[in-house]
Amino acid sequence: MSIETEAGNDVNGVDAKPLDADIVCVGFGPASAGFLTTLTKLLQAPSTDQPVESRAVPGMPPQILCYERADDIAFGVSGVVTRARAIKSTFPYLNTAEIPLSARVGSERLLYLLDPHGASRRPLWMRLADKVIKGLAREDYSYEAPYIPPFLHKQDGFIFSLGQFMQWSGQQVMFSGTAQVWPGTPVSDPLFENGKVAGVVLAADGTEIRAELTVVGDGPVGPVGRRLDEVYGMPLGHKRDEWAVGMKMVVDLPASCTLEEGTVFHTIGYPEPEIFGFFYVHPDRVASVGIFVPSWLDSPVRTGYRYLQHFITHPAIWRHLKGGRMRSWGAKSLLESGRRGEPRLCGDGYARIGEGSGSTNVLTGSGVDEAWLTGRLLAEGVHELWREGLPFTKANLEARYVRRRRTSWLEKESIIAERARNGFQRGILRGFLGMALAGFTSGALGYNRRRDKPARPLEEFYRGRLSAEQVRDIRAACEKDAQPLHDALMEAAGWPAIEFDGQLLVSHQDALLMGGKVQAAPDLPDHVVFRDPDLCAACTNRLCIEICSGEAIHAGENGAPVFDRDKCVHCGACIWNCTQEVAPGVSNVAFCAAPGGLHSAEN
Amino acid sequence: MPYQIIVCGGIAPDPLQTLEPAMGPAGPALKNEMMLPAVFDPWAAHALYEAAHLARQFPGSSIRVVTLAPKAKLQQVMMTVAQKLPFELIPIDGPGGGFTDAVEVSKVLAQAISAIPGIDMSQFLLFGGWESATRGSGCVIPMVAARLGIEDCFLAVDELKIEDGALVIKERVEGGLLQVSRCSAPPAALAWATGSLPEPPNHPQTGMANMRAMMPALQRAKPAGLTGEGFSVPQATLPAQQRQTQVVKDKPAAEISRELLEWIKG
Ligand SMILES: Cc1cc2nc3c(=O)[nH]c(=O)nc-3n(C[C@H](O)[C@H](O)[C@H](O)COP(=O)(O)OP(=O)(O)OC[C@H]3O[C@@H](n4cnc5c(N)ncnc54)[C@H](O)[C@@H]3O)c2cc1C
Ligand code: SF4
Ligand code: SF4
């Protein structure tokens, strides 16, 4: 028997029949925020035309739903410094005072960081160059580039906390009453019907949300986007094979720090030459500091956290941070294949936006504004189609969304960036050269991409620095203690141990608890699954354990990986760091939709 | 017999966050309060889950949640709570922190409840948290009850059973004891401790159904108009803490307690 409350709600539970909507969005990142904000504004703009009516529920306004996996819309991770061209065009009078932790970009510097410990993997030419640069460098082992290349600079832009920006924009979308954004509600799959996408399936209870248009903005590692790629395939020549894991901390700066709000540092050269770093100063003496560990860092013990600690303790960074306190910490993957990683942008019943649609620009180091723009362009197209009473078919979406994208600055800049990072496949010198060539010639010159090399075995990688016996002993000791290898190997190779201060330099587990406040919902199945345990048992390069941003993957029996979801931050790095494939292009790590993860609203 | 259950519950910063009191222009406040993610107050949440449990057993029952909180934050919190069970929200826009006068808060809540049409005292149960995660004053529910003329008020309730129409209530009392009382009929006020029910899983369809009425209610929410007159908090500090985390699994409890003891002894 069903019971009605005054509000008309059934206290005995609702039946699980499919729900009908006009549009369903997967994920609430900058891309979906750009989409929903623009669409809301367009639907609410004063007009003499008939108001747009829902096609799913006639007589009602359009039914627009957005489902976000994380437990709050503010739990994303990013830098962020952004030129915010698209965001500013949506909010021409954006007042930073309304959004906590946001500031206008003030002074901007590009620092080359020398290695004070002599432990990083610098090729000979770089060590020689370092000797010269040392004569010009400051006492803090940094050299400030006299000039910032125009493609990198962020003048006139903003520093944001992504979490706070998303919270601010999400509240406006919700209060407009035009769209609903549901946190803690992962989408497990697209709903396929007769070769079309007919909506989505929610992970919680398998509810089908049927919608005429599914907007996929689930970011770089979202399962819905990946499923569409599996089913529809990537366009010819396109591949998602360049990645990075971005890891950051938000820090209460010490009283001694004199950096002004709006200060931006971009860094190169340390802790490894391939690792780029950032330091952005928010208002009220708070800063975001972090690094990007890329997939082309050819190390079988690729780690984010340990490198982050070495980055923040570099003398040029530590002079500003010493005595500071960690407020927040987080990590997330970035899809850095750019345009080459662009999937099919639309099909019957669906459109792709944001980083998962290949929008992130690796040359300019920018993804938020690009993602926002893709959402905005889709919203403009969708609104037009609604007004004209046209369906959301592939042809119509191509004409109204993809065509807008192709004529936008996003497209122009992503063509320039397309070959910018290929040089890193050939070494560090050619990596930097390739970036400069692409940037200064507007993409006319650059290196072509080579096939990826598999990760080298540990013994080979450390040859000349550690003997095979040393590596073997370290491997055995770590396996016995169920510890990842990177700490022991890095220390054996000359990296100093990190002395914890309990405030900023804390153990990885403390960072999870103090900064990330990581949580997993009880009673759910594991969302990270090793597809073929035999592959793991035989695997000799267990990068999944080394890279894991939350130490959620550790060595179990015989060293094979074991997953602990209470520590998982959903960064997605295990997917692209797995060294084995179960099928071409499919790694041995299955990463499914689940709630939980970070509970920090400041990243 | 159906019940008309009203749950009073506010929002509180997500308990996982590091909280820091700070002196604001209007007295003590939490540092960066608007930035902190919020949750439905955990004590009131227990009351809400118990209300749902009761309502399920007695067809025709209704649940309303009366909340005093900043409405933008409340709306965000409701996107999760509304997925857990069906209820009607009666929002009042105002400060959500612990630095408000419990007397004034109880007055505002009682006024909002009195304004609800169709309340039948013979079916009426007032639920709430025994304390709040923002401040454990422990007196809001008794004061609301008093203002509404409800005489039977139970504090730190762990269990409610209905036997032949009577309310059988297990409360925590001093000295770690539990007391079981029998209250022949509503109205009654129950300020819940933890209860015994787990957090219900999210149910997206319930959320959608709830939100149809909640969004307009939130948009219409009136300001509470708290004056704070005659009330001040001269000081607010957190206890000093030291932390040293180890995350271990499968370690025997005896060993954990031995290590803890050693750590405390220094
Ligand atoms: C450490 C770091 C620093 C960065 N710094 C900068 C910077 O300074 N400037 C800049 O411009 N860019 C920066 N970026 C990149 C930028 O953050 C991204 O490009 C941008 O966030 C992409 O936006 P998006 O909306 O496409 O995806 P995302 O931000 O990834 O959002 C996707 C959303 O979808 C959700 N989701 C995923 N799967 C599901 C599912 N199954 N169901 C429901 N929801 C789902 C996710 O939880 C997420 O909230 C940085 C990134 C990192 C990690
Ligand atoms: S998940 Fe991949 S990298 Fe990790 S052990 Fe298994 S096969 Fe190796
Ligand atoms: S297990 Fe979780 S935290 Fe670890 S790499 Fe995978 S997604 Fe990231």
Side-chain angles (χ1 to χ4, degrees):
Chain A
M1 182 182 178
S2 105
I3 317 154
E4 294 282 312
T5 66
E6 299 287 302
N9 295 337
D10 179 351
V11 178
N12 274 347
V14 275
D15 49 15
K17 67 172 192 281
L19 282 173
D20 288 320
D22 291 279
I23 296 184
V24 61
C25 299
V26 185
F28 188 70
S32 298
F35 174 74
L36 294 171
T37 306
T38 310
L39 196 56
T40 298
K41 283 178 181 254
L42 289 168
L43 288 171
Q44 295 189 328
S47 159
T48 51
D49 300 338
Q50 277 280 25
V52 174
E53 198 179 282
S54 167
R55 301 203 280 223
V57 193
M60 298 280 285
Q63 305 288 298
I64 306 165
L65 303 173
C66 176
Y67 293 107
E68 166 55 44
R69 174 210 76 68
D71 295 341
D72 192 292
I73 56 170
F75 293 163
V77 182
S78 189
V80 182
V81 68
T82 171
R83 287 178 68 190
R85 285 168 289 175
I87 293 172
K88 280 192 225 164
S89 71
T90 308
F91 304 110
Y93 305 107
L94 190 140
N95 176 5
T96 51
E98 282 178 23
I99 313 168
L101 289 177
S102 56
R104 287 190 176 273
V105 172
S107 74
E108 196 178 1
R109 294 175 221 171
L110 173 60
L111 298 183
Y112 175 75
L113 302 181
L114 293 159
D115 175 2
H117 306 296
S120 76
R121 296 177 322 108
R122 285 165 139 71
L124 182 65
W125 69 265
M126 199 168 177
R127 277 183 268 146
L128 295 175
D130 279 359
K131 286 211 164 89
V132 179
I133 293 172
K134 203 163 178 199
L136 306 167
R138 294 193 304 226
E139 271 180 7
D140 64 10
Y141 288 84
S142 74
Y143 171 73
E144 183 175 340
Y147 145 93
I148 299 181
F151 53 84
L152 200 60
H153 85 77
K154 301 289 183 295
Q155 287 303 325
D156 308 324
F158 296 113
I159 292 172
F160 289 132
S161 137
L162 185 72
Q164 290 303 309
F165 180 66
M166 295 310 297
Q167 176 160 291
W168 177 80
S169 55
Q171 282 175 353
Q172 301 197 31
V173 165
M174 282 293 299
F175 256 93
S176 73
T178 310
Q180 294 181 357
V181 185
W182 295 98
T185 315
V187 173
S188 63
D189 276 300
L191 184 66
F192 294 106
E193 231 172 57
N194 306 324
K196 297 179 186 173
V197 174
V200 297
V201 181
L202 301 185
D205 56 2
T207 299
E208 289 179 2
I209 310 291
R210 307 184 69 82
E212 196 193 339
L213 178 66
T214 299
V215 175
V216 183
D218 61 354
V221 291
V224 176
R226 282 185 293 123
R227 181 82 185 117
L228 290 175
D229 294 340
E230 265 170 43
V231 171
Y232 296 125
M234 293 285 281
L236 195 67
H238 284 207
K239 210 172 168 198
R240 294 155 174 254
D241 50 6
E242 250 177 66
W243 297 91
V245 62
M247 190 177 278
K248 75 175 284 193
M249 287 177 185
V250 182
V251 181
D252 267 330
L253 293 169
S256 57
C257 177
T258 54
L259 293 177
E260 284 186 10
E261 159 181 338
T263 302
V264 169
F265 296 160
H266 312 279
T267 76
I268 52 173
Y270 185 85
E272 298 287 7
E274 299 93 335
I275 295 180
F276 297 159
F278 61 88
F279 190 131
Y280 310 144
V281 184
H282 302 277
D284 301 325
R285 313 193 56 72
V286 174
S288 279
V289 281
I291 54 167
F292 301 101
V293 179
S295 50
W296 65 81
L297 174 67
D298 169 29
S299 164
V301 287
R302 217 181 269 162
T303 154
Y305 191 68
R306 181 71 194 246
Y307 277 133
L308 177 61
Q309 290 182 314
H310 286 299
F311 172 68
I312 63 173
T313 49
H314 185 281
I317 305 295
W318 194 238
R319 60 190 273 242
H320 304 296
L321 293 183
K322 190 177 174 199
R325 196 173 57 96
M326 182 197 293
R327 289 163 62 111
S328 176
W329 166 89
K332 181 166 164 281
S333 287
L334 290 100
L335 174 56
E336 298 211 322
S337 301
R339 199 162 174 275
R340 221 171 34 78
E342 187 187 283
R344 296 184 195 281
L345 289 178
C346 62
D348 286 332
Y350 80 89
R352 308 276 298 262
I353 54 173
E355 193 161 298
S357 76
S359 59
T360 295
N361 190 311
V362 286
L363 182 63
T364 59
S366 180
V368 168
D369 201 40
E370 285 71 6
W372 184 279
L373 181 68
T374 59
R376 201 192 83 193
L377 298 178
L378 177 63
E380 288 166 2
V382 162
H383 190 248
E384 262 178 27
L385 292 173
W386 255 335
R387 286 234 157 277
E388 295 169 31
L390 296 171
F392 298 128
T393 56
K394 182 170 194 297
N396 286 340
L397 290 164
E398 289 269 2
R400 305 303 169 100
Y401 164 51
V402 180
R403 216 189 48 211
R404 277 186 161 80
R405 217 171 133 156
R406 296 290 176 236
T407 52
S408 69
W409 56 258
L410 172 76
E411 179 82 356
K412 201 169 137 221
E413 293 181 6
S414 61
I415 292 172
I416 296 176
E418 199 165 353
R419 290 190 293 163
R421 294 271 177 103
N422 291 347
F424 282 103
Q425 288 188 311
R426 294 163 171 86
I428 294 149
L429 179 61
R430 276 179 280 184
F432 288 129
L433 198 64
M435 282 187 75
L437 277 177
F440 287 112
T441 67
S442 295
L445 298 177
Y447 291 102
N448 287 331
R449 196 163 170 79
R450 283 182 174 168
R451 273 178 67 85
D452 278 325
K453 282 184 287 185
R456 281 186 286 163
L458 277 182
E459 291 75 5
E460 193 186 311
F461 181 80
Y462 279 103
R463 189 169 297 149
R465 280 179 295 167
L466 300 177
S467 68
E469 290 72 43
Q470 276 176 300
V471 172
R472 195 190 52 218
D473 291 348
I474 289 174
R475 203 199 283 269
C478 289
E479 221 169 274
K480 188 165 150 271
D481 298 343
Q483 290 297 317
L485 289 163
H486 51 252
D487 281 332
L489 280 169
M490 284 173 73
E491 278 165 35
W495 287 97
I498 301 291
E499 281 183 32
F500 294 155
D501 63 9
Q503 297 206 121
L504 193 52
L505 297 175
V506 296
S507 73
H508 198 162
Q509 293 304 297
D510 263 352
L512 250 66
L513 296 166
M514 289 163 62
K517 334 270 186 204
V518 179
Q519 276 258 300
D523 308 327
L524 288 181
D526 282 347
H527 58 275
V528 168
V529 180
F530 307 105
R531 297 182 208 259
D532 179 352
D534 291 342
L535 268 184
C536 292
C539 180
T540 49
N541 259 350
R542 292 180 171 130
L543 266 190
C544 59
I545 297 177
E546 304 306 325
I547 195 70
C548 179
S549 303
E551 291 188 330
I553 301 181
H554 60 272
E557 217 173 301
N558 299 325
V562 178
F563 176 62
D564 177 353
R565 64 203 174 81
D566 289 327
K567 299 180 190 170
C568 178
V569 301
H570 296 249
C571 73
C574 44
I575 311 175
W576 53 269
N577 276 282
C578 172
T579 51
Q580 312 294 320
E581 286 185 338
V582 287
V586 183
S587 88
N588 197 24
V589 172
F591 180 76
C592 314
L598 294 163
H599 265 236
S600 166
E602 298 186 13
N603 293 320
Chain B
M1 183 185 73
Y3 294 97
Q4 293 182 351
I5 311 167
I6 292 200
V7 182
C8 292
I11 63 172
D14 177 344
L16 297 168
Q17 308 304 311
T18 314
L19 305 181
E20 221 179 302
M23 230 30 187
L30 280 181
K31 198 170 167 192
N32 307 315
E33 185 161 349
M34 279 319 283
M35 253 161 64
L36 294 168
V39 295
F40 195 57
D41 195 298
W43 298 92
H46 294 304
L48 182 59
Y49 308 153
E50 294 285 346
H53 181 64
L54 183 66
R56 258 193 299 274
Q57 299 168 56
F58 294 91
S61 297
S62 67
I63 302 172
R64 294 184 183 87
V65 173
V66 180
T67 303
L68 168 62
K71 66 176 176 182
K73 272 270 179 225
L74 178 61
Q75 172 263 307
Q76 221 174 316
V77 170
M78 280 302 136
M79 296 310 286
T80 307
V81 184
Q83 295 197 50
K84 305 215 172 276
L85 58 132
F87 63 91
E88 181 184 353
L89 179 71
I90 299 168
I92 311 158
D93 190 20
F99 303 109
T100 42
D101 181 1
V103 175
E104 252 193 316
V105 170
S106 65
K107 193 166 152 196
V108 168
L109 294 175
Q111 274 167 354
I113 295 170
S114 307
I116 299 171
I119 292 278
D120 175 350
M121 276 303 187
S122 70
Q123 298 182 356
F124 182 56
L125 293 177
L126 176 69
F127 277 23
W130 168 37
E131 296 192 3
S132 154
T134 54
R135 185 157 60 99
S137 79
C139 58
V140 174
I141 297 298
M143 285 196 285
V144 177
R147 286 177 194 278
L148 295 173
I150 299 173
E151 286 167 1
D152 291 312
C153 186
F154 302 88
L155 288 184
V157 176
D158 265 340
E159 192 181 87
L160 166 67
K161 281 191 201 151
I162 308 293
E163 286 175 8
D164 302 329
L167 312 169
V168 180
I169 295 159
K170 194 190 276 179
E171 292 170 278
R172 295 182 191 176
V173 288
E174 277 81 11
L177 299 176
L178 294 169
Q179 169 177 298
V180 178
S181 316
R182 195 179 170 89
C183 173
S184 60
L190 282 76
W192 285 85
T194 53
S196 58
L197 299 175
E199 181 172 339
N202 282 2
H203 192 298
Q205 306 214 24
T206 306
M208 293 267 296
N210 274 335
M211 262 304 146
R212 274 200 275 278
M214 279 184 194
M215 264 331 283
L218 280 157
Q219 280 160 339
R220 285 194 308 266
K222 292 207 182 71
L226 299 185
T227 61
E229 249 168 54
F231 174 79
S232 71
V233 180
Q235 208 194 5
T237 49
L238 287 181
Q241 60 163 326
Q242 257 189 53
R243 72 183 292 157
Q244 188 187 328
T245 315
Q246 269 185 50
V247 178
V248 288
K249 295 223 158 161
D250 310 325
K251 198 176 239 192
E255 201 175 324
I256 296 177
S257 50
R258 186 185 51 74
E259 279 186 23
L260 279 173
L261 198 67
E262 267 171 30
W263 186 74
I264 293 165
K265 282 184 184 162

